[in-house]
Amino acid sequence: MLNPKTHDREFFGAFGASSIIVFLPLVVSIFSFLVNDKYSLQGVSLDLNRLQQIVPSSTQEWYDLAFDASSWKAYLAWFFGLVVFDKISPSKQMDGTVLRDGTVLKYNINGVYVAGTLLAILAARAYRFNLNLPELHFIYTHQLQLTLVTIIFSFAMSVFVYVCSFIPTTKPNGVGTRERILAKGGNSGNPIYDFYIGRELNPRIGSWDIKMFCELKPGMLLWMLINLSCLHQQYHAQGQVTDSLVLVNFVQLFYVLDGVLNEEGVLTMMDITTDGFGFMLAFGDLAWLPWSYSLQARYLALPENTLHLGLWKCALILALKFGGFYVFYSANRQKSDFRQGKLDHLKSIKTKTGSKLLCDGWWAISQHINYLGDWLVGLSWCLLTGFQTPLTYFYAIYFAVLLLHRQTRDDAKCREKYGEQWLEYQRRVPYKIIPYVY
Ligand code: NDP
């Protein structure tokens, strides 16, 4: 059977899915109502007077914010401009995973060209406009409107891919049509749950892969632009840039570029191989990521939160960042090299599927030592904002929850896939993420 029915539901089924669909867009919007020129937090206490000045009091005001014409034009130009760019950029073709019907999809890998060209255009425009870029000023002054635009756009995208998942597609041999390949977890038959978790595994228009595109480009690169817009604002409003905001830009740009430049690594990630493309990924990639990951920069750009860290604090935080990155990068690299047959001398367990589980090097320390490295990188971003507010530590808390949840999902997947050999791996490597702790 091409598309087996989904019986196990995650996130507490349709109830959990509908709660997340309502709750997470609210959280992202609240961030933008708190962090703006009427900054409404003092530590953990809310300044309601300031908040009232920014939260719309009538339906018309809400409508004007959410459907601000200039913000919609800018975002649509950004998204579809990137689509065109993605299509015309030079790329190398790589194979994805083998699908249930035995076919293998081709992916165009071009992150280097897309990110490189975007940075080159920005640099040229910075020179042309003497460091005063209208597009960065626009992003900074329209954060609230753009947040709402990305939320609505991600809803529209999720509806589009959900509806399309029911339309038969052409058979691989080009003759006749057949059902689309659905995600194993996204075919429960409950519309809310399937809409949230993602019904179709690889929605495509022609050869353009919607999930792969959204995973790295429009959201990640927008995050980079939001951070730059904060630095731009600080420079023009205060006539200075602080070490804290420069470093937030630097370390997060490093993360964005590492993701975009190593685009092919995404092809083996659960998001591409296993998850369907629905609200969870569309909203996560397009709205949640740029607006919640940029909280540190948006907070530091406000004049009342100006922070000079000094040399020692900067050096210690950078050491944490690069230490975490080293663990994250070399563990992922080691697994990838091993899977390509380059590290056959390392100890491993042969599984019933024919592939091997590495239980040496980084993969003998814990089952997901890469998650720990990644989390330490995220913690370093938060530390750059000092200890004035828990808001900027949101990322570290959220990311810890995400990684713990991801570990349990991956554990279930590997137990099903490898059976006894996975249990043997767990006996040899008992810690899940943090050695001697968990
Ligand atoms: P992993 O890189 O840990 O990959 C897990 C998969 O690798 C398993 O499903 C299994 O797949 C294979 N595997 C597991 N153990 C072994 C082993 N011992 N030897 C060989 N293969 C093994 O997890 P993710 O794909 O979840 O994450 C990849 C990276 O992305 C991580 O560094 C994570 O921190 C990061 N990430 C970042 C996010 C963000 O928002 N910033 C979100 C999610 C992830 P197989 O079927 O191939 O055997």
Side-chain angles (χ1 to χ4, degrees), residues 255 269-270 293 328 332 335 339 356-358 363 368 370-371 374 395 399 402-403 406 410 413-414 417-418 422 425:
Y255 194 85
M269 274 173 69
M270 200 194 280
Y293 287 26
F328 160 82
N332 282 333
K335 173 154 72 77
R339 279 284 164 92
K356 291 183 197 160
L357 291 169
L358 182 58
W363 299 85
H368 288 282
N370 50 348
Y371 287 4
D374 207 354
Y395 179 79
F399 199 43
L402 181 146
L403 292 176
R406 204 171 168 95
D410 195 60
K413 179 204 120 177
C414 290
K417 185 169 173 187
Y418 298 123
W422 182 249
Y425 174 62

Side-chain angles (χ1 to χ4, degrees), residues 86-104:
D86 187 45
K87 286 301 293 174
I88 61 173
S89 286
S91 55
K92 70 172 172 191
Q93 274 210 336
M94 289 199 61
D95 287 346
T97 188
V98 181
L99 301 176
R100 277 201 297 285
D101 64 352
T103 56
V104 173

Side-chain angles (χ1 to χ4, degrees), residues 407-425:
Q407 180 273 320
T408 57
R409 290 181 83 203
D410 195 60
D411 187 28
K413 179 204 120 177
C414 290
R415 211 171 322 133
E416 193 195 326
K417 185 169 173 187
Y418 298 123
E420 179 50 38
Q421 289 94 34
W422 182 249
L423 299 180
E424 169 61 20
Y425 174 62

